[in-house]
Amino acid sequence: MKRLLQAYRCPDHVEARRELRRWYRTALGVNLQEREQQLLSQVLPNLFGYHLLQVGRPMESDFLASSRITHRIVMDEVLPQSDFSGEESFLSQSDEWPIASDSLDVALLPHTLEYVARPHEVLREAERTLIPEGHLLIVGFNPWSQFGIRRLFSGWRNESPWCGHFYSTLRLRDWLALLGFDTVLVRHYFFRPPLQNEGIMRRLRKFERAGERLWSPFGGGYLLVAKKRVTTLTPIKPRWRTRRSLVSVGSTEPTVRRNRI
């Protein structure tokens, strides 16, 4: 069974991202998107700083709208269909971020790890670019859910989202701990079956609250929030600076002259 699930891989990760964006326009995708937006709107307003980076945009809605951070950036391997006010966007590889080290306050990975060839490199880039005590948010599909069961029977078709590699929160917590992160929050959501019938999905909304209380680990998706640890080997930059350089352009910073007395 494990070998079978590992064999389900999207042959083209870039095309899989485009298909995922189209899937989020379906009835099931819209319902999932609404729940994810609600969950992020409860977490993002409590995270502060200067720079926020979202890696990948699997849907057209603005996931960062509820954030209080003014400088919001979206990086993706696929051209966006629309831009939102208050954010910048550019193209780049998901596992090679053109971002200066120790410069980000918050990084968001919305279904990013499922559709990359090197998920470990994505997490290493997050660790490199986040400041000490910076936050990493991961939105993912739960393999131990009805979504995971659907993937078992549909992954062979090489269609998004079912061809993606679903990682459990236990595995992610192990990876993040090795990279120097502390997991501070895990929230599971969407306890309805992955059906495209809008009428059935609407009638099953009552299962959302019951699922959070009774079978929380088996939600179709999860939000994991981790904080980068502060260590003696990592220099801590003063937080009173008004602006940090986000992208290094190779220019020399001017020095401040002091008059001799």
Side-chain angles (χ1 to χ4, degrees):
M1 180 66 69
K2 184 177 180 180
R3 291 183 178 180
L4 177 62
L5 291 176
Q6 290 178 344
Y8 293 161
R9 300 278 185 171
C10 301
D12 186 339
H13 289 94
V14 175
E15 182 59 30
R17 289 170 183 264
R18 293 193 180 97
E19 289 183 4
L20 183 63
R21 193 172 290 174
R22 290 191 289 268
W23 178 83
Y24 262 101
R25 301 190 191 109
T26 66
L28 176 58
V30 169
N31 279 275
L32 181 69
Q33 184 178 157
E34 290 177 353
R35 189 68 189 97
E36 292 172 339
Q37 191 84 53
Q38 292 172 1
L39 199 57
L40 284 171
S41 66
Q42 298 171 9
V43 176
L44 283 176
N46 300 318
L47 304 179
F48 303 94
Y50 297 112
H51 306 295
L52 188 158
L53 174 69
Q54 175 180 323
V55 182
R57 178 181 281 164
M59 70 289 294
E60 294 302 324
S61 64
D62 185 3
F63 261 15
L64 308 179
S66 59
S67 175
R68 299 183 183 182
I69 298 176
T70 56
H71 190 205
R72 304 190 294 267
I73 317 164
V74 176
M75 182 183 74
D76 199 359
E77 298 181 19
V78 182
L79 284 171
Q81 298 295 323
S82 58
D83 294 324
F84 301 98
S85 60
E87 74 176 33
E88 304 172 8
S89 61
F90 63 94
L91 294 177
S92 180
Q93 297 293 325
S94 299
D95 52 7
E96 295 180 3
W97 302 4
I99 305 294
S101 300
D102 300 320
S103 60
L104 295 175
D105 297 278
V106 180
L108 171 62
L109 308 180
H111 299 294
T112 305
L113 299 178
E114 292 101 317
Y115 304 98
V116 293
R118 302 188 299 171
H120 299 88
E121 293 301 322
V122 177
L123 295 178
R124 289 191 183 97
E125 285 293 271
E127 188 279 331
R128 178 185 66 82
T129 56
L130 281 169
I131 66 170
E133 295 191 342
H135 288 84
L136 173 64
L137 283 69
I138 302 176
V139 177
F141 292 113
N142 183 11
W144 308 114
S145 67
Q146 296 183 75
F147 275 71
I149 297 175
R150 173 71 182 274
R151 177 177 179 265
L152 178 64
F153 293 100
S154 303
W156 61 272
R157 298 178 180 176
N158 293 328
E159 297 176 351
S160 293
W162 315 115
C163 66
H165 194 117
F166 296 0
Y167 297 98
S168 68
T169 56
L170 292 177
R171 176 176 291 189
L172 289 180
R173 293 178 75 162
D174 289 340
W175 289 353
L176 292 171
L178 293 174
L179 289 172
F181 285 91
D182 292 320
T183 300
V184 296
L185 174 69
V186 175
R187 289 278 303 275
H188 290 85
Y189 59 91
F190 209 86
F191 299 91
R192 289 169 281 173
L195 304 175
Q196 291 290 359
N197 188 297
E198 179 61 33
I200 295 177
M201 297 298 289
R202 187 165 48 250
R203 288 193 292 271
L204 294 178
R205 285 183 183 273
K206 59 185 178 181
F207 284 101
E208 289 298 322
R209 291 185 179 180
E212 291 181 357
R213 297 194 307 268
L214 301 177
W215 52 87
S216 177
F218 304 106
Y222 57 81
L223 169 63
L224 185 150
V225 182
K227 179 189 291 187
K228 182 177 175 180
R229 298 193 198 109
V230 178
T231 64
T232 55
L233 298 179
T234 304
I236 304 176
K237 293 188 176 182
R239 298 307 301 268
W240 41 260
R241 292 184 178 178
T242 57
R243 197 71 166 176
R244 290 191 303 271
S245 177
L246 190 61
V247 180
S248 177
V249 296
S251 60
T252 304
E253 294 285 344
T255 58
V256 178
R257 294 183 178 180
R258 296 184 179 180
N259 295 327
R260 294 182 180 179
I261 300 176

